[in-house]
Amino acid sequence: MTSISILPPPSFTLLVQGRLIPCSRRVIACSSLFMDMVELVEEDTSPIPIPTFISRQIMLDLVEMVEKGDWECAHLILVSLSYLLDFLIAVDFLGCERLKSVLEEKVKYKLCDSNWREVFYYTKNILGLDTTTKHTLEHISTKLVELAGGKDSLSVECDPYQEEYVQFTPDILKLTLKNKYLGNFLRFCILRNWVYENSEEKGEIFEMLLLIQYKELEDSKVEEIVNEVETWGIGKERLESLNKVIKSAKKERELESLMRKKFSKEIQTHGHFLNHDMFFEIPGGPDVFLEM
């Protein structure tokens, strides 16, 4: 009888801070960096070196989770936020995208008023951690919306986050202003507070003014914005360009309002040809036709 020999799975070793950690091919496959290194030195059986900024404990935990198939990172449920951040930086560097996406959500879940600054300053300069940086900005935005209430406006006196966001770089503030939770006038209030401390950034200020959806604002709010911006000294050409954008937005708003009135009149006039309830059950309602 011919005997069938079963080859053991490929074995690898990781060199972490001068000590070896054995692992299987499964661990290598979870990291794009490990895969690239193995492909480049196929005949080399030397341990794979791990940068010193990644601790031995992180690599032990990573190997254990991958070997056990713990892709939800249940192993890390009780660890501190700082350890999660260090772990997130490690998996980002190693290219462990599956673990990274889960860790991003775990960090997001832990965000609160007492720690968002720590997370923000820890991640803002690391390109691969932009998702977590955006999560901290989302936290600020939702809190500002709560403080504003239904007014879509915010006074300096009741803005506990102003001291932080006025120090943001233009790129970071743009990310903040693009947040979907912010109303358009609230966006302007945040920008106005930032301009008080960064008035020299004329070009950046103009670009951020264009992030506001003026057609969603009442004429009185738009007028208030224009009167304020005229005091910022952004230059005649930029001011003229902004006024053109605002006029265009007003025309678009008026046209949409006219179309809605026209649709409403048509429905009332020809209601016997079209079931009114069915019409409004169309996803998006009557407004969907305005976007065509």
Side-chain angles (χ1 to χ4, degrees):
M1 178 181 290
T2 304
S3 61
I4 301 175
S5 59
I6 301 177
L7 297 175
S11 181
F12 299 86
T13 51
L14 308 175
L15 181 60
V16 188
Q17 298 182 349
R19 301 172 68 182
L20 299 178
I21 298 177
C23 66
S24 71
R25 180 82 184 184
R26 189 174 190 178
V27 173
I28 303 302
C30 86
S31 162
S32 60
L33 178 63
F34 289 163
M35 289 297 292
D36 290 342
M37 294 176 71
V38 169
E39 288 177 7
L40 286 173
V41 289
E42 290 182 8
E43 305 301 323
D44 191 350
T45 58
S46 301
I48 298 173
I50 304 299
T52 54
F53 73 85
I54 301 178
S55 71
R56 176 175 170 79
Q57 187 58 55
I58 284 176
M59 289 310 303
L60 286 170
D61 285 339
L62 187 149
V63 169
E64 181 177 352
M65 288 190 298
V66 175
E67 299 286 21
K68 290 182 177 180
D70 178 16
W71 300 110
E72 295 302 315
C73 303
H75 185 75
L76 303 178
I77 193 169
L78 297 178
V79 301
S80 67
L81 177 62
S82 60
Y83 187 75
L84 273 182
L85 289 171
D86 287 338
F87 211 113
L88 181 58
I89 290 172
V91 295
D92 173 61
F93 177 83
L94 296 173
C96 303
E97 294 300 321
R98 188 170 179 181
L99 290 174
K100 179 183 172 182
S101 61
V102 175
L103 286 167
E104 286 171 341
E105 289 302 314
K106 285 188 174 296
V107 172
K108 180 181 178 180
Y109 180 76
K110 285 180 174 286
L111 283 175
C112 62
D113 271 352
S114 64
N115 64 30
W116 75 265
R117 293 172 182 83
E118 175 190 355
V119 178
F120 173 73
Y121 288 108
Y122 212 84
T123 63
K124 70 184 181 75
N125 293 321
I126 302 176
L127 185 61
L129 302 187
D130 58 311
T131 296
T132 297
T133 301
K134 289 176 183 177
H135 286 161
T136 64
L137 301 178
E138 183 179 299
H139 172 79
I140 298 173
S141 298
T142 54
K143 290 296 183 179
L144 288 172
V145 170
E146 290 175 8
L147 288 170
K151 296 182 295 182
D152 192 30
S153 180
L154 196 65
S155 64
V156 175
E157 294 76 16
C158 67
D159 185 352
Y161 302 96
Q162 180 182 348
E163 185 177 349
E164 300 294 337
Y165 68 68
V166 295
Q167 299 179 50
F168 286 176
T169 63
D171 287 341
I172 293 294
L173 191 70
K174 286 175 187 176
L175 284 176
T176 306
L177 296 179
K178 289 177 182 178
N179 192 279
K180 63 182 180 181
Y181 297 105
L182 295 175
N184 283 290
F185 196 73
L186 185 53
R187 285 190 177 99
F188 175 73
C189 292
I190 294 170
L191 175 58
R192 178 187 58 198
N193 294 340
W194 186 85
V195 169
Y196 291 159
E197 301 293 331
N198 302 273
S199 58
E200 71 283 355
E201 300 282 357
K202 308 300 185 186
E204 300 288 357
I205 291 170
F206 176 70
E207 288 184 15
M208 286 185 273
L209 282 167
L210 298 182
L211 296 177
I212 298 171
Q213 300 297 314
Y214 295 96
K215 77 170 187 175
E216 305 295 335
L217 293 171
E218 297 176 356
D219 288 342
S220 59
K221 292 292 186 184
V222 174
E223 184 179 355
E224 185 176 341
I225 289 174
V226 172
N227 290 339
E228 175 73 28
V229 172
E230 285 177 348
T231 68
W232 291 356
I234 62 174
K236 183 179 179 181
E237 289 186 6
R238 293 191 182 104
L239 201 56
E240 288 176 351
S241 296
L242 178 63
N243 282 323
K244 287 180 181 178
V245 170
I246 290 174
K247 287 179 181 178
S248 176
K250 183 177 180 179
K251 287 181 180 179
E252 188 176 348
R253 183 178 72 244
E254 290 173 347
L255 177 61
E256 289 185 4
S257 176
L258 182 64
M259 292 294 288
R260 286 190 180 92
K261 290 178 181 178
K262 184 177 179 181
F263 274 119
S264 179
K265 185 177 180 180
E266 290 293 327
I267 290 169
Q268 292 174 4
T269 305
H270 305 290
H272 58 286
F273 292 115
L274 178 65
N275 184 299
H276 183 276
D277 293 333
M278 287 178 63
F279 184 82
F280 279 90
E281 286 174 3
I282 296 172
D287 291 349
V288 74
F289 293 100
L290 299 177
E291 301 172 1
M292 295 176 65

